[in-house]
Each structure stands twice: as structure tokens, then as C-alpha cells.
Amino acid sequence: MTVEKTTKKKTSKKTKTTPPSFVAEEEKDDATPTKEQHSPEEEEQQQQQMMPSSAVKKLPQITVARLLNETQLGVAMHKRIVRQMTELRHVSGNEKFLQDVCTCLLHVLLEYKRDLHTERVIRFIIAFTSHREPGHEEEADEFCESLIRFLLNVTAAKDRAVRFRACQMVAGILNALGPDAEISDDLYDQMEETMLERLRDNTPAVRAQAARALSRLQDGGEDADFSNSEITTAFIELIGGEKNKDARKAILGALAISDHTISVVVERTRDISEEVRRIAFLALAAKVPVESVSIEHRALVLRRGLNDRSISVRSACVDMLKKWMSSSVCENDPIKLLKLLDAESHPNVSEMALKTLIETKTVKAMAYATKEKSETSGLRRFFLKKSEEEEEEEKVSVVELFSPEEALFWRVIVEALANQTSSSGKDTSLAVGQARAVLQAETEEVEDALDQCLPESSMDLLRAISMHADGKTTSSVFAARQLMMTLNCSDMNDGALRRGAATLVYERLRSIGDLNDENDVSCYARGGDGEWEKQLIDLAKRVHDDNEHVAVVLGACDSLRGTVTDEENNNKNDDDVNDDTNVYAETQALFIASSLFETANNSSSSKLPAHATEAVMQSLVRPAVAHASAGVRREGIKLLGLLLMCGTNALTEETVQILRTAADVDPSEPVKCMALRALGDAAMLYGPKALDARRDMPVPKKGIHVRFDDDDDDDEREEDEKEKENNDDADADADGEENETAGYQLTLEKQLLRIIESACEPFENPKDKTDLEELDAENIDAMNEAAFTESENSAQTIACETLAKLALRRGYYAFEQPSLVISTLLGAIFACNAQETPRLAQCLAVFFPAIASAPDAKVRACLIDAVLPSLRMASQKKGVAKVAAFLTSLLELETGISSSSNHKEGGDEASNSDTDKNKNLDGVIERSDAGEAELVRSLSIEILALNAKPFGTGVAGAQVKAYHAAISRVLSRVPIPDVKSMLTSQPNDGNAVNGSIVSEETKQRVTLQLSEAFVAMKMATKKCPKEKIALKDINIAKDRIHDSLGVSSSSSSNSNNINNDNEEGEDEVETLFNEDLQFAEYAEGVEKYASELSQSEDLPFYDRKGPKVSKLKEKVMAAPARERSKRAAAQVASEKWVEDDLNVPLAKVTPQPTRSSRRREALQEFNE
């Protein structure tokens, strides 16, 4: 119930609502009088004069402070103290009593810690304020409003403790008021305004209490759906972005439940906090009637709750399920509950819910396993024995078939009894003595119940299955499938049952229903879901021995295909009549064969022989891939892909060319997607190179020229010269020729990349076509329909999934250009729209963290080599900083093996405690370290090449600066191999990098690459002094490379020079001088690389031009001595002074220092 606003004018006189502004000191104990206090006798005389005679004996020396101190002792005395406070308020008057209470509360408001004594005082204040003594209701209401106004005034305090305690007391008072309580309009508006402001407080505890305070202030409006309530709208907006779990719990508990807010509560059932999820289920159980929840939400909530990993959440979901079961809609009838869940649409959830009720003893299987219930509503009602008189009276008997809910219910009951029989039999075999006799009796009782639940004979059960299968509706076929599952509880050693089941499989696999009945959906080809055929194949496995069921199923497929051929021969002129029949029969045959191979065992002993593989190709696949119907072609491609998995010698040039051609030129998108999925599975099994070797090779345009005149050497020379001249033109036209080549003639890698690039522009941010307000919570949650449509019609999604699987499975050597593949996938994740392509977004969101943290070095090498190409591709688009941040987060992920890479900005080394555990003695792991060091070198030279020219101004200059900053950020965070550990480690030493053996070649290569990177960083720091953010990252990267190479960082030495003496400064100069000499050999090569890269097309913005320079400035730069004579003369004079100073012996110019460095002593001896 909410607190209702009222506009009634109260007849009683209003007291002053504003609390006193003064703050009195805490009242002292009256037992020890002071100078300011009167003696107990005088004080008692004054109280006797002021109070009535009836109150003199009840309230001797009672004050507010004394009573509040007593409330801290325990909750049991709160009722007595409430009565005393009420009498004291009546005697003292509302205004005086309010001042005393507010004065005492000022001490409570300052306590932020939720200790026991403070909570007891607040609990008492809430109970006393909401208490209405009979006969003093107006006095209590006036005090309540005045105290709430005082608390609202202090909610804007700077101290978080005051805000928290004030909101806590306001929330407690409002929730403790009765359903008939009334407050004035101005107080209502003030509370709503104040608490909405506190709802966005920076302290989570204050937000939680503000939400509790607003729970009863929500206005349902005319429609009572709370859609126009400002408070409800604020709750919905804040609960999705709230980071604190306690605040989310409070908002969820305070949210008013209606059709407008049920979806929000359902969304919280997948919250990251188990406490919030539990509150969501409790709210659904307590506040939401089951009939108010949609069927999709019911199934969704049960699926999440019953599968939750937390025991408390599962318990709350079970309580909700019991509440639904005992509601007026279900009336403790499990079949009615299954109807609320729509068992036909959600069979798994319905089965899970029913089994949960059986486990919790809410539904007792033994109670339904009686002869009476089985004959009236169970499995025996179809075969009741009737007398001759009853048979004569009933000329026509109509048997009502099972509904989907009834069939599911009886199937679960039979399985539960069978499982109970099995477990009781095991317990009986292990027990001894009297316990064995008791368990044996219980087992016999359960067996008798199971016999009464099932039909009298197994053949009756088969006839019941056939009766439901002949219904030709989705409900009847679903019921037949449920009844067929009960055969698992029967004894298949019975010969009659095996023969009857074999006959059932033989007949039903060859049936495609009544073609004249448009509502017939008895098979997959006529609109079924295919579960009926899969159930028949599973029954065939149980009936037949070994692999005999394969011959039975393929024989049924040949029979369906044979009926198509016979009808084509008999009715050649009646094409319109036979088209539908041919499509149905061929689709059904292909689907049955595909279902057989989907459930097949992939062991070598169970693979299809070579002659059987060729027979399937001849009878099913080849006619299907050339069929005019897209549905038939799709099923044929699916069967061909499964045949590559299960058939012997199935990978041939014919099969590969069929799949490659269908993936490229088929006009139907579902056929393309199925062909791409089959190619991906084959590539995972056989490898991409095996598929590329069997593709249709492109024919060269120029052809082959054969010469017969060997003496004409001049012609040969002329042709060689022409070929050399045309080499450049040929390279330029290579891309154009590749684009003209058909996709099925390219390698599989290039074909997949072409499909992805044709669907979207890499790193192109998608436009937000859908607003959040237009989205439905059900669609946001599951995205089932969108994901299914995408998997059937989006070739881009299937291509990305295929490349991602190959990268994770086969690693670096699975592709010709692994960096291009990963860069394209990275561009796809930034270009895809998660609302339109949820399957692609989820696939790539899982793929990149998996490849970044893969324990195999060759898998991680794909990502490491793709970092720089990805940044180059993203440099021309907006959001290169986001790409850099995403790559940085991937590079910083921990791998499956321990890493000695530096992940901290200060250059701290990671511990190598786990190296022994992860050591690999089988080989030398080189790719990971070399790849990381090579990435550091490439990024360093890229930064140096960018600084070769000015960045420019305007939009182009901003893009260059953004790219420069992005590379610097990645370089400052990329893991760097520890060269010190590599150089000191031995082949059998535990100090090896990444717990692996490092070869001498790898050590040398990594040292060389990091040394060149260090030199490039030193050069880059001198060329970009204006880019402060990038310069900071560059210095961090330089220091980390220093530490990796075993050289102390310059930044640390600079930080230590503040209070050092002159000698230490000279030693630092010497150290830097030695470092320059050490890395001088790399400077020329690094500068050459950077210069070549700055002019290369590989570098983004390589063709940018510097800022325009006026002619006057060019003259000034050309002749600085004439144009700026004073400045040039001063510079020349200073240089001459330095030169003269160096030529003079140091002993005559420089005074003898007390402690000189070695370098200066050597120079002095030389001068002397």
C-alpha cells in the first residue's frame, strides 16, 4: 500500500513544523546534581506542580535522553518506552518535546557505522513516530510530520553519515505507517523532491535508503500501471546502471510491480550479484500473480532460476514455483501449471519444473500411479476393457488424445518411478537384515505403482504412440514423441516389443503425411520441428544391433527418393501436382539422413564405408545440390558437410568444389550459410590447405608460350626486358585480377575475407538505429529469433565464426596472412551492431579474450602480429583510441603460462614462481617472445617515422595525433620479454622465460629488437616534445625497455638527482655517455628504417605535407646570420667560448675538486 496524499484541512491547530535551530548539550544524569541542577527533592516538587496528579506517580524524573539511552539496552523494553514517551509528549507539549527529540537525534545522525546500539535507537524512533495512541491521533500525526520535516532538512548535509541516517529514518517511518495514514500535500511533495535528489547521491547507502523511502510514494495513475510515475521512471533508469548491489537490491524491493515494470524485475534475474537475483525471485513470488506474467517470462524466469549456480537463488526460485503451484489458477494441479508454461513450446523448462516439484515432494508420483487415475486420465484410458453390453450400446467411440501437457506429465511420472525403482533396488542389494526387508518392500511398492501407471502390455503403448502420430497436428506429434520416450522405461529384451518398435520405425520413417491435407505437420518436410524423426532414429538404435540401424535409416531415405522417381516416371505431364510431392519427399529423405549422421559416433569403427559414402552421394547429394528448390539444396549441402565428417574418403575434389561453388554463387542466403558452415567444419578436421589443394584452380589469362627456336637469343633478351618493365604494372593489377577471380577459385582464407569485407566496412562504427526505449526486454534477453535468423541468412557471421575457430584450433600457421585475418575480425567487431547481429557480436566478444589468453604461443602470435596492422586500418576511421584501448586490454590478459613480461608502468618484474610448474621440455618456444619483442620494435619505429614530418593542423592533423597517441598507449602497455632472465637462463634452468626453454637464437633476436626499440624511443622523445600525453607513454615504454635490457631507467635516476651532490651528477653523465656508446651501433639502422617507412605507403598519412612556409621565413631560415645578426652573433660567441674553454688545460681553469670522477682525472692527466 502506498501513502496516500490528502488535501483535507485539519481542524486542529498546527504546531511549528520547523525543528529548533539551536543545539543543546546532552542532558546529564539526574542522579548526581551539579551547580546548575536542582536537588532531586526540588525537581520533584516542580514536577508535581506542573504535572497532573495522575501523572506524578508514573513519570518521576523521566526525560527524552534517559529514555533513548534505555532503548539501547534491548528491544524487549521498546513497548514500555513507547508508552512512556507518549505520556511525556502529552505532558510536555509537542513543541517542547520535538525540540528535545531533535536535540538528542543530532548525536545519532553523526554515527555512520551500523552498530547494534545505534540501530536500536533508530528502530525505536521509527516505532514511536509511527505509533498512534488511541485518543491522541492528531498529536501523533503532528509530531510525525514535524519530525519528518526536520529529517528532510538535514538530508542535504555534507556529512554522509547525516544524510544516511536521515534517509534511513524517513524510510523507516514511511514504511511503518499504517495503510490509512495521511500526510499533507506539501510534505508529500517535499519528500518526493528530496528523496529523488538523494536517489542520485554519491554514497551507495544513501541511495539505498532513499529508494526505500520512495517505495510508498509511487503513483499508479489512472491505469494503475505506474508508467507515468516520476519515481518509478527514476527507479527503472537507475537500476540498470547502478554499480552497488545493495542499492540495486533496495531499488528492486521498492519498485512497484505492474505490467510496466515486470520486465525490469525479470531482467534482474540475471544480475551479477546473487543477492539481487534472489530478491528478484522473491519479488516475483510475493508481488506478482502468475497470471500477470507472460508465458515467455514464466519460462525464462524458471530456466534461469532452476539452473542458477547459487543455492539461495535456486531456493528462491523453488519457492516462487511452489507459490505458482498453490495459486488459484493452478489449484495444486501440475497439469494446469504445465499449461501456464506452454509445454509444447517450452518442453525443457516444463520438464525441469515438474521434476523440481517431484523432488521437493510437492507433487508425489506415487499418488498418481494408481489404477483409477491411470484408467481415467492416464496411459490406460485408451484401452479400457468393456463388457459386451457396453460395446453394443456404444456404436461410435471417440477417444480423446493426450494434450501436450498431459503427455509430458505422464512421461515424467513414469521416468520418476523408474528411477526410484532403480535406486531402491541398489539400496536393497547393499542393505542387510531388517533394513533389507524394509527396502525390498518399498521397492516392490514402487514397482507395482509403475506397472499400474503403464499400459497392461507394451503393444498397447505402441498403439497409443501410433494413435497420436496419426493425429497429424503439432500437439499430437509432440504427445507421440513424449510417449515414445516412455519406452526407455520398458524392457527392450521383450521380442514382441522389439518387433513392434522396429515396425513402427520402418513405417513412420517412410511417411510424409497426407499431401491433400494442408494442416498435416506430421513430418519435418511439412513444417515439423524434426524432433519426431530424431526420436525415431534413436529408437532404431535401441532396437537394432550394432550399425544395423544405419542400413535401416538409409533404406528409408532411398525409399522416399524412390517414390519421387516413380512418380516422375508415371506422371511426366502433370508437373504442377508432382512438384510439391518431390520437394517434400526429397527434403524429408535428406533431413533423415542428416539426422542420422548428426548423432553418429565419430570413431573409426563406426564411420561409413567408402562404398556407402559413394552410394549416399549418388542417390541423395548429387540430385539435391542441383535441385531447383533452395530448401532441397540447403538440406543437400548440410548432408554433404556431415558426410565429410562421418564418411570414408569423402574429401574429394568434387565435394570441395560443390561446397565452394555453393558458398560463392548460390542465390539463396541459407544455402550459402550452410555451405560456409560445412567448409568451416571440414577445414577444422582436414586443414585449410587440404581444401585449397582440391579447389577449382583459376585459369591464367596470358596462357603458356612455348618456343621452338633456341637460336634466337635477341628475342629472348627483348622479352626479358619487357617482362621486367611490366613487373610493376603486373603487381599493380594483381589486386584487380584477384577481385575479378571467382570466390570459389580463391583460397578459403581469401574467400572468407572477401565475404566479410563485402558485408561491412572494417572499423566503421554502426549507427544506432534502435533506441533503448523501443526495445523489448524479452528480445534483449534471449535474442533467439534474431540470432537464428542471423545464423541462417548472414554469410558474414558464418565466415567470422569459421576464421575464429581456425585461429583458436590451428593457430599461427593456419593462414597465409594471419595478421590480416585477425585485423579483419577486429574490424568486424567494431563495425557490427549487436542489436542486428547478436550472434556475431557474441562470437567475437568471446574469441578475442580467448586468443589473447591462449596457453599456446602460436595462437597468441596471431594477435600479436595483428596489433600494428589493426591500428593502421583504424587510423583512417573515428575511434582509433577505442581500438587501442581494446588491444591494450587484450595484451594485458594473463596467459595460460606464467609470464615474466612487464605489466606495470614502473617496470616491475612479475614473479616467476610458477615457471617450474609450466615448463615445457619438449621443444623451444620462440614465437611468443619473438613476436612480442618484434611488436615493440615495430611500434617504436612507427612512432619515430610519424615524427619525421610535422603532424599538421585541422582534421588531418588531429587524425595523425590520435594515431600517434594510440600507438604510444599500446606500446606503454604491451608485454615485454625479460632479456635479463633469458640471458641468464640455461636449458635446464628454472629461470627460463615463460617456463620454457629459450634458444640462443631467440635470445639474440629479442635483444637486438629491444635494443633497436630503445634507440627509436630515445630519438622519438626528442622529436615530439609538444605531445605531452604521447610523450608520457613513450617515456614509460622507454623505461620498461631499459629494465628488460638490464639498464636502470633514466626516469628513476632523474628522480633521485634532486638531493644528490655534484659527484653523483657526474657519474650519471658518465652512465648516459656509456649507454650512448653501447647503443650507438643501432642508431644508424633505426634511423634508416624510420626514414624508409616514413616514405612508404604502409605508414598511414605518409603523404601528408608540412605547414606552408612563407618566402620571407625561408630566407630567414636560409641566412640566419644576415637576417638575425644579433642572435646569430651571440650564438657564435657562445660556441666559441665553449670551444676555447675545452682547448685550455683543465688544471689551469678548473679548481681542484675534493673528489673528482675517473673521467675528469684521466682528462686532467692527458692535458698535463
Side-chain angles (χ1 to χ4, degrees):
M1 298 297 292
T2 60
V3 179
E4 299 178 355
K5 292 197 296 185
T6 178
T7 58
K8 294 191 297 184
K9 295 182 180 180
K10 297 185 179 180
T11 57
S12 60
K13 182 179 179 182
K14 286 283 186 177
T15 60
K16 187 177 180 180
T17 56
T18 304
S21 59
F22 62 90
V23 179
E25 295 182 357
E26 187 175 2
E27 301 181 25
K28 299 182 180 179
D29 192 0
D30 295 329
T32 56
T34 60
K35 294 181 181 179
E36 290 77 8
Q37 279 184 322
H38 299 286
S39 62
E41 294 79 5
E42 296 177 355
E43 194 171 17
E44 185 177 359
Q45 292 177 3
Q46 293 178 1
Q47 291 180 359
Q48 290 178 0
Q49 295 176 1
M50 296 176 60
M51 293 188 299
S53 59
S54 60
V56 173
K57 297 181 180 179
K58 295 182 180 179
L59 298 174
Q61 300 178 356
I62 293 179
T63 60
V64 174
R66 178 184 291 276
L67 293 176
L68 291 181
N69 286 334
E70 292 181 3
T71 59
Q72 304 179 40
L73 302 178
V75 184
M77 58 182 66
H78 281 190
K79 291 185 178 180
R80 174 182 61 81
I81 301 175
V82 166
R83 293 194 300 268
Q84 293 178 348
M85 288 281 285
T86 303
E87 294 178 0
L88 182 60
R89 180 182 61 193
H90 179 65
V91 173
S92 302
N94 243 343
E95 185 174 358
K96 176 64 171 61
F97 182 77
L98 179 63
Q99 291 179 0
D100 296 340
V101 172
C102 294
T103 302
C104 297
L105 285 181
L106 291 176
H107 303 279
V108 181
L109 293 175
L110 297 175
E111 293 292 333
Y112 184 75
K113 186 177 180 181
R114 305 194 68 169
D115 57 349
L116 180 61
H117 303 287
T118 307
E119 295 298 324
R120 284 176 178 174
V121 174
I122 293 177
R123 181 175 178 180
F124 170 76
I125 292 295
I126 294 171
F128 169 68
T129 307
S130 59
H131 176 68
R132 303 180 71 193
E133 186 73 18
H136 303 282
E137 290 84 357
E138 293 185 1
E139 182 180 324
D141 294 343
E142 186 177 357
F143 172 76
C144 179
E145 290 193 7
S146 301
L147 183 60
I148 291 177
R149 291 182 189 275
F150 165 72
L151 295 174
L152 293 177
N153 290 336
V154 299
T155 53
K158 292 184 179 180
D159 191 354
R160 62 172 184 173
V162 178
R163 300 196 306 272
F164 165 63
R165 291 300 182 181
C167 293
Q168 182 186 13
M169 283 189 277
V170 171
I173 293 171
L174 288 177
N175 293 325
L177 292 176
D180 299 331
E182 296 179 352
I183 58 176
S184 59
D185 289 347
D186 56 345
L187 180 59
Y188 185 97
D189 296 337
Q190 184 181 0
M191 279 193 298
E192 181 177 3
E193 181 182 357
T194 305
M195 291 297 108
L196 281 176
E197 183 180 357
R198 290 303 101 207
L199 196 61
R200 291 171 173 81
D201 197 275
N202 56 2
T203 304
V206 178
R207 297 197 297 269
Q209 297 300 328
R212 291 182 60 242
L214 290 170
S215 61
R216 295 186 66 180
L217 301 181
Q218 301 174 78
D219 188 7
E222 296 179 357
D223 299 334
D225 60 350
F226 297 92
S227 59
N228 297 325
S229 176
E230 184 179 358
I231 299 175
T232 307
T233 304
F235 282 165
I236 296 174
E237 291 177 357
L238 293 176
I239 195 172
E242 178 59 53
K243 297 181 180 180
N244 185 265
K245 64 176 183 179
D246 294 328
R248 292 200 304 273
K249 284 169 54 179
I251 295 175
L252 187 60
L255 184 65
I257 302 299
S258 65
D259 295 340
H260 178 63
T261 59
I262 284 179
S263 60
V264 179
V265 182
V266 172
E267 187 69 16
R268 287 301 102 196
T269 56
R270 63 172 183 176
D271 194 275
I272 190 174
S273 173
E274 63 180 48
E275 298 178 9
V276 180
R277 299 198 300 271
R278 178 176 174 273
I279 292 296
F281 284 106
L282 293 178
L284 289 173
K287 299 180 181 180
V288 184
V290 63
E291 61 270 14
S292 300
V293 187
S294 64
I295 295 177
E296 295 296 330
H297 276 153
R298 294 170 197 159
L300 180 63
V301 166
L302 286 178
R303 186 179 74 246
R304 289 178 181 172
L306 297 178
N307 291 326
D308 199 281
R309 59 182 179 273
S310 175
I311 298 177
S312 61
V313 178
R314 289 201 302 270
S315 177
C317 183
V318 171
D319 294 340
M320 181 192 68
L321 183 60
K322 292 180 180 178
K323 189 72 175 296
W324 289 359
M325 184 71 178
S326 60
S327 64
S328 59
V329 180
C330 296
E331 298 177 349
N332 291 320
D333 188 354
I335 296 179
K336 292 183 178 179
L337 177 64
L338 294 179
K339 290 182 179 179
L340 291 177
L341 298 176
D342 192 3
E344 185 179 354
S345 301
H346 308 96
N348 296 330
V349 177
S350 302
E351 179 182 354
M352 193 186 311
L354 187 56
K355 288 182 177 179
T356 302
L357 292 175
I358 294 175
E359 291 175 359
T360 57
K361 307 299 182 181
T362 305
V363 174
K364 297 180 180 180
M366 294 288 294
Y368 292 92
T370 60
K371 184 177 181 181
E372 293 78 8
K373 290 190 176 182
S374 181
E375 291 179 353
T376 55
S377 60
L379 297 174
R380 293 191 175 188
R381 73 181 187 183
F382 303 105
F383 310 102
L384 296 177
K385 293 183 178 180
K386 299 180 181 179
S387 60
E388 297 180 357
E389 297 178 357
E390 292 178 350
E391 292 180 356
E392 292 178 358
E393 292 177 357
E394 296 182 0
K395 298 181 180 179
V396 179
S397 61
V398 179
V399 180
E400 184 179 359
L401 300 178
F402 273 146
S403 65
E405 292 77 19
E406 291 175 337
L408 177 64
F409 172 76
W410 285 107
R411 193 260 295 178
V412 174
I413 291 294
V414 170
E415 290 180 351
L417 292 174
N419 294 334
Q420 188 175 356
T421 302
S422 177
S423 60
S424 299
K426 292 180 181 179
D427 296 339
T428 303
S429 61
L430 297 176
V432 293
Q434 187 66 25
R436 182 185 181 90
V438 174
L439 291 176
Q440 186 173 2
E442 292 179 357
T443 303
E444 292 177 356
E445 183 180 358
V446 176
E447 290 178 352
D448 293 340
L450 180 61
D451 293 338
Q452 292 178 1
C453 188
L454 290 172
E456 293 184 357
S457 65
S458 56
M459 298 305 296
D460 291 340
L461 181 58
L462 292 178
R463 285 196 293 271
I465 295 173
S466 300
M467 289 170 56
H468 286 81
D470 292 336
K472 301 177 182 180
T473 61
T474 56
S475 299
S476 61
V477 173
F478 177 85
R481 184 160 58 89
Q482 298 297 321
L483 294 178
M484 188 181 294
M485 293 181 186
T486 59
L487 291 174
N488 298 330
C489 304
S490 302
D491 186 11
M492 296 303 296
N493 294 324
D494 186 3
L497 178 60
R498 291 175 66 89
R499 290 191 296 272
T503 303
L504 177 67
V505 171
Y506 181 86
E507 294 176 353
R508 296 297 169 181
L509 284 179
R510 287 167 169 76
S511 173
I512 57 175
D514 187 3
L515 298 178
N516 298 323
D517 187 3
E518 296 180 356
N519 298 324
D520 186 1
V521 289
S522 58
C523 63
Y524 171 80
R526 301 295 302 277
D529 55 359
E531 295 296 330
W532 170 247
E533 288 79 2
K534 294 179 181 179
Q535 195 67 37
L536 288 172
I537 294 174
D538 183 68
L539 181 60
K541 291 181 181 179
R542 299 180 65 245
V543 171
H544 299 282
D545 299 330
D546 297 334
N547 293 329
E548 185 181 353
H549 71 282
V550 177
V552 173
V553 175
L554 292 180
C557 297
D558 292 337
S559 176
L560 290 172
R561 177 64 187 165
T563 58
V564 173
T565 305
D566 295 341
E567 291 183 3
E568 288 179 353
N569 295 331
N570 296 332
N571 301 316
K572 293 183 180 180
N573 298 326
D574 201 359
D575 295 336
D576 296 336
V577 176
N578 294 328
D579 286 342
D580 293 340
T581 305
N582 296 344
V583 171
Y584 292 150
E586 292 192 14
T587 303
Q588 185 71 8
L590 293 169
F591 177 77
I592 291 174
S594 300
S595 300
L596 172 65
F597 292 128
E598 281 181 349
T599 58
N601 188 7
N602 289 330
S603 60
S604 58
S605 59
S606 62
K607 277 200 170 186
L608 202 64
H611 66 278
T613 304
E614 178 60 27
V616 173
M617 287 287 298
Q618 180 65 29
S619 61
L620 295 175
V621 176
R622 291 191 181 99
V625 297
H627 202 276
S629 174
V632 175
R633 293 200 306 273
R634 179 186 177 278
E635 295 298 330
I637 293 297
K638 179 181 179 181
L639 177 59
L640 178 58
L642 292 170
L643 200 61
L644 291 176
M645 303 291 106
C646 305
T648 304
N649 299 329
L651 186 65
T652 60
E653 293 184 358
E654 180 188 8
T655 56
V656 173
Q657 291 176 8
I658 289 174
L659 294 177
R660 295 291 300 273
T661 305
D664 186 46
V665 300
D666 197 280
S668 176
E669 285 294 328
V671 178
K672 285 185 178 181
C673 293
M674 186 58 66
L676 288 173
R677 190 177 286 110
L679 285 171
D681 295 339
M684 292 284 291
L685 183 62
Y686 300 103
K689 295 182 180 179
L691 301 182
D692 294 338
R694 293 170 174 82
R695 75 181 191 274
D696 187 10
M697 301 298 292
V699 179
K701 290 185 176 181
K702 297 182 180 180
I704 301 176
H705 181 65
V706 182
R707 294 184 56 83
F708 297 96
D709 190 4
D710 297 335
D711 298 332
D712 196 356
D713 297 334
D714 295 336
D715 295 340
E716 291 181 359
R717 293 175 183 175
E718 291 178 0
E719 289 181 359
D720 293 339
E721 291 177 358
K722 290 181 180 179
E723 289 180 359
K724 292 179 180 180
E725 292 176 357
N726 295 332
N727 278 338
D728 297 335
D729 297 337
D731 294 338
D733 296 339
D735 296 335
E737 293 178 0
E738 183 176 324
N739 293 331
E740 294 177 0
T741 306
Y744 59 86
Q745 294 179 337
L746 299 173
T747 61
L748 180 62
E749 175 185 342
K750 292 181 179 179
Q751 183 181 11
L752 296 176
L753 291 176
R754 175 185 288 186
I755 292 173
I756 297 174
E757 293 174 355
S758 63
C760 67
E761 183 70 20
F763 299 100
E764 187 72 28
N765 294 327
K767 297 180 180 179
D768 297 331
K769 299 180 180 179
T770 309
D771 297 333
L772 293 177
E773 298 178 357
E774 299 178 359
L775 293 177
D776 187 8
E778 296 179 9
N779 297 334
I780 291 176
D781 177 78
M783 294 282 185
N784 290 332
E785 184 177 355
F788 176 77
T789 304
E790 179 187 0
S791 64
E792 294 294 328
N793 298 313
S794 177
Q796 175 200 8
T797 300
I798 307 302
C800 290
E801 289 180 358
T802 302
L803 292 176
K805 291 177 182 177
L806 289 174
L808 288 175
R809 177 68 181 271
R810 295 186 171 267
Y812 187 83
Y813 304 103
F815 309 108
E816 297 177 359
Q817 296 176 307
S819 60
L820 179 60
V821 172
I822 303 301
S823 300
T824 305
L825 293 178
L826 188 65
I829 194 175
F830 280 92
C832 73
N833 190 343
Q835 297 173 0
E836 297 179 356
T837 55
R839 184 184 179 94
L840 176 60
Q842 182 181 11
C843 169
L844 297 180
V846 174
F847 163 70
F848 280 106
I851 194 175
S853 59
D856 193 353
K858 67 179 182 179
V859 177
R860 293 198 313 276
C862 297
L863 178 64
I864 292 174
D865 289 355
V867 171
L868 185 57
S870 300
L871 291 172
R872 287 177 175 177
M873 292 174 62
S875 62
Q876 306 294 336
K877 309 291 182 181
K878 292 182 180 180
V880 65
K882 295 181 180 179
V883 178
F886 182 69
L887 288 172
T888 301
S889 64
L890 294 178
L891 293 173
E892 290 180 341
L893 289 176
E894 295 183 359
T895 58
I897 54 178
S898 61
S899 175
S900 62
S901 302
N902 190 351
H903 293 281
K904 297 183 180 180
E905 294 184 355
D908 298 336
E909 298 176 1
S911 61
N912 294 329
S913 59
D914 297 334
T915 52
D916 294 336
K917 179 176 64 176
N918 297 317
K919 185 180 295 184
N920 182 10
L921 299 177
D922 296 333
V924 178
I925 298 180
E926 302 180 3
R927 184 63 202 173
S928 177
D929 295 333
E932 293 167 355
E934 185 178 357
L935 175 61
V936 173
R937 173 185 174 276
S938 302
L939 293 175
S940 303
I941 295 179
E942 186 89 357
I943 293 174
L944 185 59
L946 279 175
N947 291 322
K949 295 180 182 180
F951 289 169
T953 58
V955 178
Q959 289 181 344
V960 179
K961 292 179 182 178
Y963 178 57
H964 183 264
I967 295 180
S968 303
R969 171 59 63 178
V970 174
L971 181 59
S972 65
R973 300 296 183 88
V974 63
I976 300 177
D978 193 354
V979 178
K980 293 185 295 184
S981 301
M982 295 173 63
L983 295 178
T984 57
S985 63
Q986 299 297 327
N988 295 325
D989 189 9
N991 295 326
V993 176
N994 292 341
S996 60
I997 304 174
V998 182
S999 65
E1000 293 295 333
E1001 182 183 357
T1002 301
K1003 296 177 183 178
Q1004 296 176 3
R1005 182 168 61 251
V1006 171
T1007 304
L1008 174 62
Q1009 291 169 346
L1010 292 182
S1011 300
E1012 291 180 349
F1014 170 69
V1015 173
M1017 288 292 94
K1018 291 193 67 175
M1019 293 181 179
T1021 53
K1022 300 177 182 178
K1023 294 186 178 181
C1024 60
K1026 295 182 180 180
E1027 303 297 328
K1028 297 182 179 180
I1029 299 178
L1031 185 60
K1032 179 181 177 182
D1033 293 331
I1034 290 173
N1035 286 327
I1036 292 174
K1038 185 178 67 174
D1039 294 343
R1040 296 175 66 237
I1041 298 173
H1042 266 256
D1043 293 342
S1044 178
L1045 292 172
V1047 184
S1048 60
S1049 62
S1050 59
S1051 63
S1052 59
S1053 60
N1054 288 336
S1055 63
N1056 295 329
N1057 282 340
I1058 299 176
N1059 297 322
N1060 287 348
D1061 55 4
N1062 188 26
E1063 179 189 2
E1064 293 179 354
E1066 293 173 354
D1067 290 338
E1068 182 190 354
V1069 173
E1070 179 184 2
T1071 303
L1072 295 176
F1073 179 76
N1074 292 333
E1075 290 178 8
D1076 293 339
L1077 292 178
Q1078 179 182 357
F1079 295 102
E1081 56 179 323
Y1082 306 108
E1084 183 179 355
V1086 170
E1087 191 172 359
K1088 180 180 177 182
Y1089 296 150
S1091 177
E1092 293 177 354
L1093 182 60
S1094 64
Q1095 304 297 329
S1096 174
E1097 296 182 359
D1098 295 335
L1099 181 70
F1101 316 106
Y1102 75 99
D1103 56 348
R1104 69 182 186 276
K1105 298 179 181 179
K1108 295 182 179 179
V1109 182
S1110 62
K1111 295 182 179 180
L1112 179 61
K1113 191 170 184 179
E1114 291 179 356
K1115 293 180 180 180
V1116 172
M1117 295 174 62
R1122 283 182 296 172
E1123 302 295 335
R1124 297 176 294 178
S1125 56
K1126 295 182 179 181
R1127 185 173 179 181
Q1131 184 177 0
V1132 171
S1134 62
E1135 292 177 356
K1136 186 176 183 302
W1137 181 82
V1138 174
E1139 185 177 357
D1140 293 341
D1141 185 43
L1142 293 177
N1143 292 331
V1144 177
L1146 293 177
K1148 298 179 182 179
V1149 177
T1150 306
Q1152 185 68 24
T1154 56
R1155 296 176 61 186
S1156 60
S1157 63
R1158 289 174 297 173
R1159 180 185 175 197
R1160 179 166 295 181
E1161 290 176 356
L1163 186 59
Q1164 183 176 358
E1165 292 175 359
F1166 177 79
N1167 290 335
E1168 291 177 353

